[in-house]
Amino acid sequence: MSARRVLITGATSGIGREAAFQMAAQGASLILVARDEARGGAVASEIAKRTGGAAPLVVKGDMSDAASIRGCAAAVRREVDRLDVLVNNAGIQPLARRETRDGVEQVFATNVLGYHALTQELLPLLERGERARVVTVASTYAGWLDFDDLEFKRRPWDRIKAYKQSKQANRIWTWALARRLGDKQITANAMSPGLVDTGLYRDLKGVPRAFMTLLAKLFGRSVAKGADTVTWLALGADVEGKSGIFWVDRKETPCQFRGEKDEERMWFVCEEYVARRR
């Protein structure tokens, strides 16, 4: 499985960056999606330097922005004729409620709609891939999903609730995706990297930032450990054919967010949002 062609979103920091280095070390051919092309290029150059191979392809893409996602996918389609693995990793946890230029709350737009839109755009390439896989970076830190207020228009803004809601959405969306991909021989799984001090907390300042840093040091793990299951799900031969599963530390883990009704509702909510943003 070492010649796999893998696309990773959010590849300039944290879990995505580390997973890129791990996969490159195993011989994968990488496409790095980054909001900032310069930062993406720097990561690609460092990967080439460390591995002695070619630099990964870097494609500009903002997963909060519908037009940017379409542009990113079009650029990928121009460069390659297939994908073997798509890693949906890009995620944010801002301090304040913001809306994208499409008028959608930013956390929901990036962490949920971005995964759905890019996966749909790249599905033809995955269908041409070799035993293709979709890996979704979710979290055990999940909950508080409110279908009637996904954008916190009625609830007071809470960055923790917004993030946890998006991670619950990631899981149930993945189970809906897995059902749809079963007859295409494409697997879809979700995982949790655990508590890792990554760029996700970069907006925090002062005491909150110090608290999260201390928490990560006391109870967290290295970014390499956090990315390990992502790399394993993307390239590991022992998960071949396994789909619709929540993984933690390479172990199948029960997910409390199961139920076809909510999974399908999440899928169609994403479909409606994407259709409106075209």
Side-chain angles (χ1 to χ4, degrees):
M1 304 286 284
S2 62
R4 306 286 272 168
R5 180 172 288 155
V6 183
L7 184 146
I8 307 173
T9 68
T12 60
S13 65
I15 299 298
R17 183 181 187 277
E18 177 61 27
F21 280 95
Q22 292 179 3
M23 292 185 207
Q26 294 188 35
S29 173
L30 299 179
I31 301 172
L32 310 181
V33 175
R35 285 182 298 176
D36 184 326
E37 283 186 285
R39 290 183 65 193
V43 173
S45 296
E46 189 175 349
I47 287 173
K49 182 178 179 180
R50 286 195 195 180
T51 62
L57 174 66
V58 177
V59 180
K60 183 178 177 60
D62 180 348
M63 294 300 105
S64 73
D65 185 278
S68 182
I69 291 170
R70 292 193 295 270
C72 169
V76 173
R77 291 193 295 266
R78 287 194 297 269
E79 294 290 339
V80 300
D81 61 359
R82 75 169 213 284
L83 276 179
D84 301 311
V85 183
L86 166 62
V87 178
N88 287 312
N89 164 73
I92 61 169
Q93 191 183 17
L95 295 179
R97 186 186 185 280
R98 302 186 184 95
E99 292 188 353
T100 68
R101 66 178 183 175
D102 302 312
V104 181
E105 188 276 313
Q106 195 176 34
V107 174
F108 184 66
T110 305
N111 297 10
V112 182
L113 299 180
Y115 289 17
H116 182 85
L118 187 65
T119 301
Q120 295 292 81
E121 290 280 347
L122 297 179
L123 186 56
L125 295 183
L126 289 164
E127 289 175 340
R128 292 196 288 271
E130 183 182 356
R131 304 183 305 282
R133 304 174 180 185
V134 179
V135 180
T136 295
V137 178
S139 180
T140 54
Y141 195 58
W144 282 319
L145 178 65
D146 184 345
F147 277 109
D148 296 320
D149 192 23
L150 292 168
E151 297 187 58
F152 284 81
K153 291 184 176 180
R154 293 192 292 273
R155 288 177 288 173
W157 170 256
D158 186 306
R159 66 177 183 85
I160 293 175
K161 287 185 178 180
Y163 180 78
K164 291 186 71 171
Q165 173 179 261
S166 74
K167 295 293 107 178
Q168 180 180 346
N170 287 161
R171 291 205 227 170
I172 62 177
W173 172 84
T174 301
W175 316 148
L177 175 66
R179 276 195 295 275
R180 286 164 171 79
L181 297 181
D183 62 349
K184 300 179 184 295
Q185 304 302 307
I186 302 172
T187 62
N189 291 286
M191 59 77 65
S192 172
L195 178 60
V196 180
D197 186 11
T198 68
L200 187 64
Y201 309 117
R202 58 183 167 265
D203 290 339
L204 293 177
K205 306 293 182 184
V207 173
R209 175 62 186 169
F211 174 75
M212 287 305 302
T213 299
L214 178 62
L215 197 65
K217 286 181 178 179
L218 291 175
F219 303 106
R221 70 253 309 267
S222 69
V223 69
K225 179 65 175 176
D228 174 74
T229 300
V230 177
T231 301
W232 177 71
L233 287 172
L235 303 180
D238 44 353
V239 289
E240 180 66 38
K242 296 183 179 181
S243 190
I245 298 171
F246 184 51
W247 300 89
V248 179
D249 292 337
R250 298 193 181 192
K251 296 177 182 178
E252 183 175 346
T253 303
C255 174
Q256 69 267 44
F257 307 117
R258 294 277 186 179
E260 189 169 336
K261 181 178 178 181
D262 280 351
E263 293 159 14
E264 291 301 303
R265 186 177 181 183
M266 189 76 257
W267 182 269
F268 286 109
V269 163
C270 290
E271 288 279 88
E272 290 170 2
Y273 268 94
V274 169
R276 289 203 304 265
R277 297 200 299 168
R278 284 195 174 275

